[in-house]
Amino acid sequence: MPWRTSPADRARGILPDPYHIWMSEVMLQQTTVAAVRDYFLRFTARWPTVADLAAAEDGDVMGEWAGLGYYARARNLLKCARAVVTDHGGQFPDTLEGLLGLPGVGPYTAAAIASIAFDRAETVVDGNVERVMARLYDIHTPLPGAKPELTARAARLTPTQRPGDYAQAVMDLGATICSPRNPACGICPWQTPCAARRLGTATELPKKTPKKPKPTRTGIAYIARRSDGDWLLERRPDRGLLGGMLGWPGSEWAEQVPPHAAPFDADWVTLPAQALHTFTHFHLRLTIQVAVAPQGTNPTTGSFLSGDMFRPSDLPTVMRKAFDLAQDHFVGSR
DNA sequence: AAAGCGTGGGC
DNA sequence: TGCCCAAGCTT
């Protein structure tokens, strides 16, 4: 992992850049290491310091985050960078309390930064640690209700020696050996004290309360290309689903879509294929309508973005799926 | 305090 | 193939 420094360096007092640890930890919230890696490298190459990031344009940061999901993280990333510069002299706070005051930094991330970047004896409790503790102590209370007990167990184990190494090690243990499906108990360094290992309950822990089924919503997206090659796009409002991201104008997304109008009058063509996408709490079937806009078109929403300025990679994935289908249409009809 | 909030990979 | 899961935070 490119944000990590070796235990050997850490032992000699060489700690990682707090900016890098903060960046990686925010990206890693509910996101796999494999997905984060390239984003981390692009962000730190483009904005090498927190001051560079604080000076960035909102749209540039949102565009660079596109595809990683949970876009409130990107909005808070910018807020946080600016808070560090304006309220903390450009240095990240080195205490749990100070870190918790930053936007997008909750109990886990604050403890991760404090322990990994500053070697403070704070306790990280992420999904890995929850699983390891539930098994180590054979706790059958379902999550999220078990969280306080799991946190207390984890805190009791946190050492004062090399807390940063320990935090990473216990998460690595959960990510590799004490894995959700096929835990490798035979090679686990904690196999002797582990209650679930002894009782044979490891694979069924931690218990979780069942999830609600996802409803299916539908909607329409309007993808218009002007004769000069510009695309009609809009910036979504700064809160809610895909907040702050670039997207295509369209209807609401709902189980029953209310009446709505296209952004301008034209001979809109409905594509034969829909864009299918699943969000955290619903499935979406997006119907795509395409049109060529004459020069001088005045849309009721959004604005035309030049073909040179528009990077499809700035779009969140659902909008990118819609674009790919529309582009097939425009190319195929040429 | 329960719900909202993305995405891709693995099985 | 659909479901589960991933180094959670905010309101």
Side-chain angles (χ1 to χ4, degrees), chain A residues 39-50:
Chain A
Y39 282 85
F40 174 84
L41 292 173
R42 281 198 297 271
F43 266 75
T44 52
R46 185 165 178 179
W47 300 292
T49 70
V50 68

Side-chain angles (χ1 to χ4, degrees), chain A residues 132 134-138 178 183-188 190-203 205:
Chain A
V132 170
R135 290 174 176 171
L136 190 57
Y137 297 105
D138 193 50
C178 194
C185 300
I187 59 169
C188 182
W190 279 352
Q191 58 179 263
T192 302
C194 183
R197 155 81 165 171
R198 176 161 35 88
L199 298 167
T201 56
T203 54
L205 295 176

Side-chain angles (χ1 to χ4, degrees), chain A residues 159-248:
Chain A
T160 54
Q161 298 291 315
R162 299 170 61 189
D165 281 333
Y166 174 80
Q168 295 177 88
V170 69
M171 290 190 286
D172 286 351
L173 180 70
T176 58
I177 292 171
C178 194
S179 52
R181 286 181 228 271
N182 295 309
C185 300
I187 59 169
C188 182
W190 279 352
Q191 58 179 263
T192 302
C194 183
R197 155 81 165 171
R198 176 161 35 88
L199 298 167
T201 56
T203 54
E204 57 189 81
L205 295 176
K207 306 274 195 193
K208 299 196 175 182
T209 55
K211 304 183 176 173
K212 289 188 191 173
K214 295 185 206 295
T216 297
R217 299 183 187 173
T218 60
I220 296 177
Y222 297 97
I223 302 186
R225 195 183 62 174
R226 206 164 55 185
S227 36
D228 61 0
D230 290 10
W231 297 92
L232 179 61
L233 288 146
E234 64 180 18
R235 179 71 59 184
R236 297 172 65 87
D238 241 357
R239 21 183 60 210
L241 189 66
L242 308 180
M245 298 301 290
L246 216 48
W248 307 108

Side-chain angles (χ1 to χ4, degrees), chain A residues 14-328:
Chain A
I14 302 176
L15 294 173
D17 184 346
Y19 173 63
H20 288 176
I21 297 305
W22 163 72
M23 176 82 69
S24 65
E25 291 299 343
V26 171
M27 289 181 169
L28 285 165
Q29 292 167 6
Q30 299 287 283
T31 308
T32 58
V33 169
V36 163
R37 185 190 160 82
D38 288 352
Y39 282 85
F40 174 84
L41 292 173
R42 281 198 297 271
F43 266 75
T44 52
R46 185 165 178 179
W47 300 292
T49 70
V50 68
D52 295 322
L53 182 59
E57 300 282 345
D58 293 39
D60 289 340
V61 173
M62 301 312 290
E64 205 64 67
W65 196 276
L68 198 55
Y70 283 142
Y71 297 101
R73 293 185 296 171
R75 302 194 299 273
N76 285 329
L77 193 80
L78 244 184
K79 280 188 203 165
C80 182
R82 290 168 180 165
V84 166
V85 167
T86 62
D87 302 341
H88 300 277
Q91 303 295 317
F92 277 85
D94 64 353
T95 65
L96 196 67
E97 295 70 29
L99 290 161
L100 280 170
L102 297 171
V105 176
Y108 164 75
T109 306
I113 299 171
S115 60
I116 298 170
F118 297 111
D119 228 13
R120 289 188 175 272
E122 303 293 354
T123 302
V124 293
V125 183
D126 70 337
N128 291 305
V129 176
E130 289 174 353
R131 184 171 56 257
V132 170
M133 295 303 140
R135 290 174 176 171
L136 190 57
Y137 297 105
D138 193 50
I139 294 167
H140 289 244
T141 313
L143 283 165
K147 176 102 179 184
E149 183 180 358
L150 298 172
T151 299
R153 299 285 193 174
R156 209 172 313 153
L157 291 180
T158 302
T160 54
Q161 298 291 315
R162 299 170 61 189
D165 281 333
Y166 174 80
Q168 295 177 88
V170 69
M171 290 190 286
D172 286 351
L173 180 70
T176 58
I177 292 171
C178 194
S179 52
R181 286 181 228 271
N182 295 309
C185 300
I187 59 169
C188 182
W190 279 352
Q191 58 179 263
T192 302
C194 183
R197 155 81 165 171
R198 176 161 35 88
L199 298 167
T201 56
T203 54
E204 57 189 81
L205 295 176
K207 306 274 195 193
K208 299 196 175 182
T209 55
K211 304 183 176 173
K212 289 188 191 173
K214 295 185 206 295
T216 297
R217 299 183 187 173
T218 60
I220 296 177
Y222 297 97
I223 302 186
R225 195 183 62 174
R226 206 164 55 185
S227 36
D228 61 0
D230 290 10
W231 297 92
L232 179 61
L233 288 146
E234 64 180 18
R235 179 71 59 184
R236 297 172 65 87
D238 241 357
R239 21 183 60 210
L241 189 66
L242 308 180
M245 298 301 290
L246 216 48
W248 307 108
S251 70
E252 289 180 49
W253 298 342
E255 297 185 45
Q256 299 293 324
V257 178
H260 60 281
F264 58 89
D265 288 332
D267 292 326
W268 291 93
V269 172
T270 301
L271 297 189
Q274 294 180 307
L276 304 181
H277 192 73
T278 298
F279 292 99
T280 312
H281 55 295
F282 66 93
H283 302 287
L284 178 67
R285 309 172 61 91
L286 193 60
T287 297
I288 299 152
Q289 298 198 359
V290 299
V292 173
Q295 297 292 335
T297 295
N298 253 326
T300 56
T301 181
S303 52
F304 284 95
L305 197 57
S306 79
D308 294 339
M309 299 287 292
F310 170 50
R311 302 190 310 169
S313 63
D314 285 347
L315 294 173
T317 299
V318 64
M319 300 295 179
R320 178 63 186 274
K321 286 182 183 176
F323 175 70
D324 289 345
L325 290 170
Q327 209 180 33
D328 289 347

